[in-house]
Amino acid sequence: MNQDLKKTLWATADKLRSSMDAAEYKHIVLGLIFLKYISDSFDQRQQELYIAFGNEGDELYLPDPEDRVLAAEERDYYTMANVFWVPGPARWETIRANAKQVDIGTRIDLALEAIEADNPRLKGILDKRFGRAQLEPGKLGELIDLISTIGFASSDAHHAKDLLGEVYEYFLGQFANAEGKKGGQFYTPASVVKVLVEVLAPHKGKVYDPCCGSGGMFVQSEKFIESHGGKFGDISIYGQEANPTTWRLVAMNLAIRGMDFNLGKEPADTFHRDQHPDLRADHVLANPPFNISDWGGDRLLDDKRWAHGTPPTGNANYAWLQHILHHLSARGTAGVVLANGSMSSNQSSEGDIRRAMVEADVVEVMVALPPQLFFNTTIPACLWFLAKDKSKGGRDRRCEMLFIDARKLGRMESRVNRVLDDEDVARIAGTVHRWRQDGEDDSDEAYADVPGFCRAVKQAEIAEHGYVLTPGRYVGAEAADDDDAAFNEKMELLTAQLAEQMVKGAELDALIREKLEEIGYAV
């Protein structure tokens, strides 16, 4: 699918949206795309079967034409090829033929129920909301006609999955953008996911995301394996998601790619109903919601996951980090997106927990990201890379950390959103791999500190800085050309720094109020 076709599809779908909120509309569009894909895959398999049934040299050969028709409706021929069985009333042509009927929404819901009933892997994950959708009369039929123009049938099943994955990823990104600050919480920008995956290099093993959203971390991990000569399925996928609608979205996103996954029995809160209590993952990737204050920490004060200190009840950032460490295997590594405040906050117990984590030597790399990468927040973000054993996976890096200040990387893709290009992703990941000496970097270049961008720092120096992990504090200023930087770039950097300082200021204000209130002087 080329870019023009994708844009056309989006523009047309956007026009149809009219009065419906994007947060609701995306489930309608993505649900129909899913239905079109599995129906096309079914048709493709049926055509292959008819060819095999009519070929005397094929082991499936059937001499009687009537037997061929009957056999083409046997479910086993489809499940043996890892193709979802689609019952007659649920096939796309049936849906399309009834697209202009007033009860088309109810018909689609019934089709999805029938597909779930015949395919245990899809049980409970298809979103049946078409019958009660508040679309204007005829709009659903127009949308069905539009999606009919997407052809997923291909002689190469892998190509069809790639095409669907591409369409799905494009729509997820577009919907996140359309929802703006109100939505997009399920969506981690693709370039940020790439940085996490390229740095962790998950070639095989168990991959876990405790707040998996739409499943972007898993999809990118599979792409990494395939691009490095591995086999589809070299990783086992474990995820958890609390939002029931998003839980179904990630299940669909993985199912359409033919990926096996374990998302737990049901949508559930990661802190209070851990769906994988015994899991020890080789790689954890996560973009938890930033700075959530109502996570119920007061009911988990003595939880065994808090190995480095009980996280404050008013902010879950250090609860996420410790939950992830708890689920790492002895040689496991993790990449986590958090708000910049996590690198320097001393509010409540956060400074003590950060010190304990540094002293336990479980923090490996810190990356400060450029501003405006996320659709749903303008809060500056950073990446934490954690490792249970820094003597493995390259040279012995114990009692040493790498700091990368990537705030100047990337480009503005729109007026409000920035992206990291592949060159930016490669620069960050290559720097980490050269520092680790883990063999993942193809170049012969040795690691070297770059003023203003990266620096390897011993634990003792981090202690001198009060265990603050902000990269800008360690990498210093660029050696040259700083005065030539474009005005806009300087302003973006300065406003990002200002935003970080304002967050810090708000944290200090809250702390002052808390202390004053403790001695009877509420402000």
Side-chain angles (χ1 to χ4, degrees):
M1 170 174 280
N2 60 45
Q3 292 295 321
D4 289 341
L5 181 52
K6 282 195 289 193
K7 287 177 181 173
T8 303
L9 280 172
W10 172 253
T12 313
D14 202 36
K15 282 180 185 173
L16 287 173
R17 177 153 53 93
S18 62
S19 60
M20 181 175 277
D21 185 10
E24 168 83 6
Y25 193 68
K26 69 169 177 276
H27 296 291
I28 299 288
V29 174
L30 294 175
L32 283 176
I33 290 175
F34 177 81
L35 186 57
K36 178 68 164 60
Y37 167 75
I38 63 169
S39 190
D40 278 7
S41 298
F42 177 88
D43 291 343
Q44 182 72 28
R45 174 63 179 163
Q46 195 165 60
Q47 289 176 22
E48 293 168 0
L49 286 172
Y50 272 118
I51 293 172
F53 294 156
N55 181 359
E56 290 187 28
D58 196 293
E59 61 180 5
L60 297 180
Y61 172 66
L62 294 171
D64 187 338
E66 290 188 7
D67 287 343
R68 295 173 193 169
V69 174
L70 292 173
E73 292 294 326
E74 288 183 19
R75 183 187 347 203
D76 289 349
Y77 282 118
Y78 297 85
T79 53
M80 66 188 282
N82 204 24
V83 172
F84 291 116
W85 168 258
V86 183
R91 292 173 195 170
W92 187 258
E93 281 312 308
T94 307
I95 299 292
R96 188 181 187 182
N98 291 287
K100 302 300 187 290
Q101 301 296 318
V102 293
D103 63 343
I104 182 59
T106 304
R107 289 172 188 250
I108 295 172
D109 286 341
L110 291 173
L112 294 173
E113 283 179 16
I115 290 170
E116 280 192 345
D118 276 324
N119 298 277
R121 282 178 57 204
L122 298 177
K123 185 173 176 55
I125 68 171
L126 302 184
D127 205 343
K128 298 171 280 294
R129 61 173 69 205
F130 293 85
R132 51 189 164 85
Q134 299 295 314
L135 277 171
E136 293 174 27
K139 291 293 184 188
L140 192 52
E142 290 179 44
L143 190 56
I144 290 169
D145 287 343
L146 169 69
I147 290 174
S148 296
T149 63
I150 310 174
F152 292 114
S154 168
S155 57
D156 180 355
H158 193 263
H159 173 73
K161 282 177 185 169
D162 282 349
L163 180 59
L164 176 66
E166 199 179 337
V167 171
Y168 224 71
E169 191 168 305
Y170 175 75
F171 272 89
L172 281 172
Q174 291 296 99
F175 279 122
N177 194 19
E179 288 177 63
K181 291 181 183 178
K182 291 188 296 182
Q185 59 183 356
F186 62 92
Y187 186 78
T188 308
S191 62
V192 176
V193 179
K194 279 184 183 176
V195 174
L196 291 172
V197 170
E198 290 295 328
V199 168
L200 292 184
H203 289 280
K204 59 182 179 181
K206 297 176 181 175
V207 175
Y208 172 52
D209 184 344
C211 42
C212 58
S214 60
M217 305 289 188
F218 302 135
V219 172
Q220 191 61 37
S221 296
E222 285 278 1
K223 286 181 181 175
F224 174 88
I225 288 168
E226 290 187 293
S227 67
H228 288 75
K231 297 192 300 291
F232 192 73
D234 277 352
I235 58 172
S236 304
I237 290 171
Y238 296 84
Q240 182 157 349
E241 174 57 46
N243 183 307
T245 306
T246 309
W247 188 80
R248 285 192 287 270
L249 191 65
V250 60
M252 274 201 298
N253 198 12
L254 299 177
I256 58 179
R257 290 172 165 86
M259 296 164 69
D260 288 325
F261 53 86
N262 182 344
L263 301 179
K265 293 179 181 175
E266 57 192 352
D269 182 286
T270 300
F271 293 128
H272 296 276
R273 283 197 294 148
D274 190 349
Q275 296 288 292
H276 310 287
D278 300 321
L279 173 66
R280 294 297 179 268
D282 300 290
H283 306 285
V284 180
L285 302 101
N287 175 21
F290 294 172
N291 302 323
I292 54 172
S293 57
D294 55 346
W295 63 285
D298 55 327
R299 288 177 280 136
L300 296 169
L301 296 177
D302 298 321
D303 196 280
K304 63 182 179 183
R305 289 170 289 186
W306 316 146
H308 303 287
T310 303
T313 56
N315 191 313
N317 287 346
Y318 280 86
W320 285 112
L321 288 171
Q322 294 192 84
H323 172 89
I324 287 164
L325 278 169
H326 175 77
H327 281 289
L328 272 185
S329 69
R331 298 183 59 170
T333 55
V336 189
V337 187
L338 280 179
N340 271 7
S342 63
M343 298 190 289
S344 58
S345 169
N346 285 313
Q347 190 172 359
S348 301
S349 57
E350 289 185 333
D352 293 334
I353 299 172
R354 188 171 57 251
R355 174 181 52 76
M357 289 174 63
V358 172
E359 289 178 346
D361 213 13
V362 295
V363 185
E364 186 184 26
V365 181
M366 296 297 303
V367 179
L369 292 173
Q372 294 176 276
L373 285 174
F374 293 82
F375 292 115
N376 61 328
T377 179
T378 56
I379 296 175
C382 62
L383 304 180
W384 290 66
F385 289 96
L386 311 175
K388 274 288 184 71
D389 186 351
K390 288 155 72 172
S391 69
K392 309 295 184 189
R395 69 178 176 86
D396 191 337
R397 311 172 302 286
R398 283 177 289 185
C399 297
E400 183 180 313
M401 284 177 57
L402 177 65
F403 291 90
I404 296 177
D405 189 345
R407 286 178 295 173
K408 291 185 178 178
L409 300 188
R411 62 178 170 81
M412 295 303 290
E413 187 178 53
S414 69
R415 188 177 55 81
V416 293
N417 279 117
R418 178 184 293 271
V419 295
L420 293 171
D421 288 320
D422 287 348
E423 294 76 18
D424 301 317
V425 174
R427 186 180 180 195
I428 295 170
T431 300
V432 177
H433 293 312
R434 287 192 292 279
W435 172 73
R436 284 182 185 149
Q437 296 178 19
D438 57 7
E440 293 286 344
D441 184 54
D442 294 333
S443 75
D444 296 327
E445 186 182 346
Y447 171 81
D449 291 341
V450 178
F453 179 66
C454 65
R455 183 166 168 247
V457 180
K458 296 295 185 186
Q459 201 177 82
E461 184 179 339
I462 298 168
E464 291 172 5
H465 285 270
Y467 297 94
V468 168
L469 301 183
T470 309
R473 181 171 290 224
Y474 299 96
V475 302
E478 280 182 285
D481 296 334
D482 191 46
D483 290 340
D484 294 334
F487 175 78
N488 285 341
E489 290 183 3
K490 280 193 171 182
M491 280 303 295
E492 286 166 7
L493 180 61
L494 289 171
T495 51
Q497 289 173 337
L498 177 62
E500 184 179 345
Q501 288 163 357
M502 291 171 76
V503 170
K504 180 71 177 172
E507 291 172 355
L508 289 173
D509 285 345
L511 183 61
I512 291 168
R513 286 194 179 90
E514 180 184 326
K515 297 300 180 188
L516 284 171
E517 191 169 350
E518 285 175 3
I519 58 175
Y521 294 96
V523 177

